Amino acid sequence: MRRTSRARICLPALLALTAVGLGTHASAAEPEPAAGAPAPGVSATAAQYALHSSLERGLGDRTAGSYLDAASGELVVTVTDAATAAAVRDSGARAEIVDRSMADLRATMDTLETRAKITGTSWGVDPRTNQVSVEADQSVSARDMARLRKVAAGLGDSVRITRVPGTFTKEVAGGDAIYGGGFRCSAAFNVSKGTARYFLTAGHCTNAASSWSAASGGAAIGTREGTSFPTNDYGLVRYTDGSQPAGDVNLWNGSRQDITSAADAVVGQAIRKSGSTTKVTSGTVTAVNVTVNYSEGPVYNLVRTTACSSGGDSGGAHFAGTTALGIHSGSSGCSGTSGSALHQPVREALSAYGVAVY
């Protein structure tokens, strides 16, 4: 889509750049990859996204999740019986028989929810190990860590606990921004419904204000039409200034990535994150169905990645090629080039508001 001159003036901050919110007091950003350096994770194809979604819906609890094999790039679907394994192979995916079903893993997460909902923790399903992967940040006290480990011990080897640096917390940071209610945020993806144009951002941003500007104290460019946080972390703002912005993402190198579709991320796949604090960083999806316990309350069904992020990146875009994957929610920080950026799946937000990427 051709960008209008008006869009150029008002939209540099709106195309998947930064957001204020659940970032961290973080370490250095990920450096730009060296020329020719391999990207982490495996590239997912349109066919794999479609097959992944179809099998997840069709198999229900007969699968414990899917992932992309790091060596072969194949879609691997975990199952608990031979008959389902045969059906998976017939669909064109690789089947792997595991001990724990998705119902078992959900029961494990339900126990954590009931007995170990501690601020600064998160948990989600890692189908590669058939476990619930738990992270605890540095704000979790020794007493709470002992409580968490005691609950996990009762769940056997279905749980894996990792201590991570940094803390899950709200943090305002500089950079290109939109402004509302005294807060700074940015959009993840431009979306449409008919001829109307909107942008998606984090719900903890849209909770803060109904009117949004492209500059502090500037004229309003958009009005909030929906918001959901905690539990979810997405919000919708409608452009009210007549803009017809392009549906792309800032790559921070003078170019932009066109976005033409949306999908649910697959464990093992490569993703990129665009945010004005750490610019464009890369990572691998490591867990899905993630619960994160922020101080403001829990958010459910997020996706965990190894992308680096920092305070101010919340609300940015998680994407792979032309495919929108998620809205940046938060992180426990970044150590070297290894982060733990969390995103709200974008398809859930698109469905909630009846909008589409373009």
Side-chain angles (χ1 to χ4, degrees):
M1 174 182 292
R2 182 179 295 276
R3 186 189 304 274
T4 66
S5 59
R6 184 170 187 178
R8 284 186 186 278
I9 292 170
C10 70
L11 289 177
L14 305 182
L15 299 174
L17 309 185
T18 185
V20 175
L22 304 169
T24 62
H25 303 286
S27 49
E30 180 183 46
E32 288 294 324
V42 179
S43 295
T45 67
Q48 286 175 323
Y49 285 130
L51 184 56
H52 164 68
S53 295
S54 174
L55 289 173
E56 293 266 314
R57 288 194 306 269
L59 296 178
D61 283 344
R62 289 182 292 161
T63 176
S66 308
Y67 65 94
L68 294 178
D69 183 86
S72 67
E74 292 176 283
L75 180 66
V76 181
V77 181
T78 62
V79 297
T80 54
D81 63 85
T84 305
V88 166
R89 287 191 290 271
D90 288 343
S91 75
R94 195 173 94 201
E96 179 180 320
I97 296 179
V98 295
D99 294 331
R100 287 177 284 271
S101 68
M102 186 59 75
D104 295 330
L105 296 176
R106 277 201 300 266
T108 293
M109 292 192 289
D110 287 346
T111 298
L112 292 168
E113 174 83 10
T114 302
R115 300 177 55 197
K117 184 155 52 174
I118 300 163
T119 297
T121 60
S122 75
W123 49 76
V125 173
D126 184 351
R128 297 169 299 183
T129 61
N130 195 220
Q131 290 177 305
V132 173
S133 171
V134 180
E135 290 187 346
D137 71 22
Q138 296 303 300
S139 72
V140 180
S141 67
R143 180 176 180 179
D144 280 338
M145 277 302 299
R147 173 184 160 201
L148 178 61
R149 293 188 187 282
K150 182 176 180 180
V151 172
L155 295 168
D157 64 357
S158 66
V159 173
R160 180 179 77 252
I161 298 177
T162 303
R163 190 77 157 168
V164 295
T167 57
F168 296 106
T169 183
K170 282 189 172 182
E171 183 174 86
V172 176
D176 292 341
I178 54 173
Y179 296 78
F183 295 92
R184 294 194 277 179
C185 295
S186 287
F189 302 102
N190 283 322
V191 295
S192 65
K193 183 193 298 184
T195 60
R197 293 291 185 267
Y198 309 79
F199 63 83
L200 291 169
T201 188
H204 58 265
C205 297
T206 46
N207 273 4
S210 60
S211 181
W212 292 88
S213 303
S216 181
I221 61 165
T223 302
R224 179 184 67 204
E225 292 234 342
T227 189
S228 183
F229 176 84
T231 304
N232 303 302
D233 198 3
Y234 53 73
L236 184 71
V237 176
R238 180 171 181 168
Y239 288 108
T240 56
D241 64 345
S243 295
Q244 293 291 314
D248 53 19
V249 170
N250 193 340
L251 297 181
W252 292 96
N253 60 4
S255 67
R256 285 178 158 80
Q257 172 65 63
D258 191 27
I259 298 296
T260 61
S261 64
D264 293 326
V266 185
V267 169
Q269 83 162 102
I271 63 99
R272 302 175 85 185
K273 183 225 88 263
S274 179
S276 70
T277 301
T278 56
K279 312 307 183 196
V280 175
T281 59
S282 301
T284 305
V285 176
T286 59
V288 294
N289 300 329
V290 173
T291 296
V292 59
N293 293 299
Y294 294 127
S295 59
E296 297 79 13
V299 179
Y300 302 100
N301 297 320
L302 298 181
V303 173
R304 184 189 295 153
T305 78
T306 61
C308 278
S309 62
S310 187
D313 282 332
S314 286
H318 286 220
F319 61 101
T322 60
T323 303
L325 297 174
I327 303 164
H328 187 73
S329 176
S331 171
S332 67
C334 182
S335 177
T337 59
S338 179
S340 59
L342 296 160
H343 75 238
Q344 161 74 55
V346 73
R347 287 184 67 197
E348 182 179 352
L350 296 173
S351 176
Y353 298 127
V355 295
V357 298
Y358 59 89

